[in-house]
Amino acid sequence: MFRINPEKPFQGPHQNQQVVTGGAVPEQAKGAMVLIHGRGATAESILTLAGEFNEPGLHYAAPQAHGFQWYPYSFLAPADQNEPGISSGLQAIYDVISNLESTGITKDKIIILGFSQGACLASEYVARHPGKYGGLTALSGGLIGETLQPEKYSGSLDETPVFMGCSDIDPHIPLERVHESARILEDLGADLTTNIYPGMGHTVIGDEIEEVKKMIQAIA
């Protein structure tokens, strides 16, 4: 399974794209949030969530996907069909986190949040690169691949708070994949909360925002 090699960065479509930022400057921030947008969206659009969290002490960073999508097909397709998008997207997240660490913000003060395709990529990043993060928020998403193989994920999340929120009838995200992903993350040592919302659309709702605020309060 592909993992980022710091000595040999992956080069693909999402490298050298814009990273949109907001909130406190990194050197003065209490922590940071990396926001990963969904298919057809922009970094600017997901950065608007920062206004919902009402925490000016955080630094917010949102990388932009080339062509407004991280990978071309469903996250349930065979992973190799979605390359080099997946690996390039994972590298983009790694680069943002590395830049934050270089300013003095440690991983345990960094929350990674994604929606839809961005939630899938964010979940996959944390599962492939486990450690003690400030948190993972996967809004309407799950781990990537036609089938999941838990034995391919190894390491410890060291009780990293993880929140997964999704509808029970989401047209893009099968409920069983959410639960399957949650089990893998919990087995890696996540402090997991999974909320399934009956009849919700493919969107973000207020209850999910409140869950993210709890995660923010723990680091800020």
Side-chain angles (χ1 to χ4, degrees):
M1 180 174 289
F2 172 78
R3 292 187 180 182
I4 300 300
N5 179 356
E7 304 301 320
K8 191 177 180 181
F10 187 89
Q11 292 297 318
H14 309 309
Q15 275 54 74
N16 303 313
Q17 298 294 304
Q18 181 184 21
V19 177
V20 181
T21 61
V25 297
E27 291 79 7
Q28 299 175 7
K30 301 174 183 177
M33 181 179 290
V34 180
L35 303 100
I36 314 300
H37 68 77
R39 186 190 301 273
T42 63
E44 288 89 350
S45 67
I46 197 163
L47 197 63
T48 63
L49 282 178
E52 300 289 333
F53 303 141
N54 194 31
E55 180 43 77
L58 283 192
H59 175 75
Y60 300 92
Q64 176 63 51
H66 175 77
F68 309 102
Q69 63 179 17
W70 296 104
Y71 43 86
Y73 302 111
S74 166
F75 81 117
L76 303 171
D80 58 357
Q81 293 183 10
N82 278 317
E83 292 291 5
I86 293 173
S87 296
S88 182
L90 296 175
Q91 182 73 54
I93 296 174
Y94 176 89
D95 290 342
V96 172
I97 292 173
S98 293
N99 287 338
L100 292 172
E101 289 181 303
S102 73
T103 70
I105 302 177
T106 54
K107 279 192 182 73
D108 63 344
K109 294 290 186 178
I110 299 173
I111 296 169
I112 306 172
L113 177 150
F115 172 68
S116 190
Q117 193 182 65
C120 299
L121 193 68
S123 300
E124 193 70 25
Y125 180 86
V126 170
R128 295 195 196 190
H129 304 88
K132 177 64 172 178
Y133 295 89
L136 165 66
T137 297
L139 304 174
S140 302
L143 293 172
I144 297 172
E146 185 176 22
T147 59
L148 297 183
Q149 298 174 284
E151 66 276 8
K152 289 191 174 182
Y153 299 97
S154 63
S156 175
L157 286 171
D158 195 18
E159 298 186 348
T160 290
V162 173
F163 173 69
M164 302 189 76
C166 194
S167 169
D168 63 338
I169 56 169
D170 192 295
H172 307 289
I173 315 295
L175 185 57
E176 178 52 34
R177 177 53 63 94
V178 177
H179 290 310
E180 191 178 6
S181 302
R183 287 193 293 269
I184 289 173
L185 291 167
E186 193 165 35
D187 286 345
L188 289 172
D191 180 6
L192 183 75
T193 300
T194 304
N195 287 359
I196 304 300
Y197 302 96
M200 184 180 78
H202 190 66
T203 187
V204 179
I205 63 172
D207 186 73
E208 293 175 306
I209 296 296
E210 292 304 312
E211 291 290 342
V212 179
K213 286 181 178 179
K214 294 176 187 176
M215 199 176 285
I216 291 172
Q217 289 170 3
I219 68 168

